[in-house]
Amino acid sequence: MSHQDLANTSWAIAKLAFCHRPLLNAIAAAAIRQSVELVPQDLANTAWAFAMFSFCHEPLLESIAAASIPMISQFTPQNLANTAWAFDILEVCDAPLMHAISAQALRSISEFGAQPLANLAGCSTPLPGHAEF
């Protein structure tokens, strides 16, 4: 499967609420192997899909974080919000990733629509360097 096929499959099974742990483990293993090929939307959608099932596959999330940080400037507001939301739902605190998301969100805040902004603001883990309300 291509990197886009993996991300699309993850997204589709989450939308269908088809939680099949062996399939999720297989997707995670393949996504880890292909993580350097994943584009921002693939990374965000894969993290989002696993969060929809509350399936915390730590090696996958570490791989997503590592691949996301160098290309964080390419993330759309929706990609940023979905990634932050997924890590928050899965209760995975990856400080370097959260710092990168926070910095990029501040640089691109004027591009955020209401939904991505609400999703980002709704994360229970405060973004680094920002006061809690």
Side-chain angles (χ1 to χ4, degrees), residues 17-130:
F18 177 70
C19 186
H20 188 267
R21 300 265 178 190
L23 177 57
L24 289 169
N25 279 319
I27 289 169
I32 291 167
R33 285 191 303 274
Q34 296 183 22
S35 65
V36 295
E37 299 173 33
L38 297 173
V39 297
Q41 187 170 353
D42 297 340
L43 293 163
N45 285 354
T46 302
W48 174 87
F50 277 72
M52 290 295 291
F53 294 120
S54 297
F55 188 58
C56 186
H57 192 285
E58 290 187 24
L60 173 64
L61 296 172
E62 290 169 6
S63 178
I64 288 172
S68 296
I69 293 169
M71 67 173 80
I72 203 73
S73 65
Q74 299 171 37
F75 275 54
T76 66
Q78 190 68 55
N79 298 153
L80 294 169
N82 285 356
T83 303
W85 177 86
F87 276 70
D88 183 57
I89 289 296
L90 295 171
E91 298 179 349
V92 173
C93 183
D94 186 293
L97 176 63
M98 292 302 113
H99 279 285
I101 288 173
S102 179
Q104 182 58 31
L106 287 172
R107 284 191 292 274
S108 60
I109 196 71
S110 65
E111 300 170 25
F112 274 74
Q115 191 62 55
L117 188 57
N119 290 351
L120 196 59
C123 290
S124 62
T125 304
L127 294 174
H130 299 87

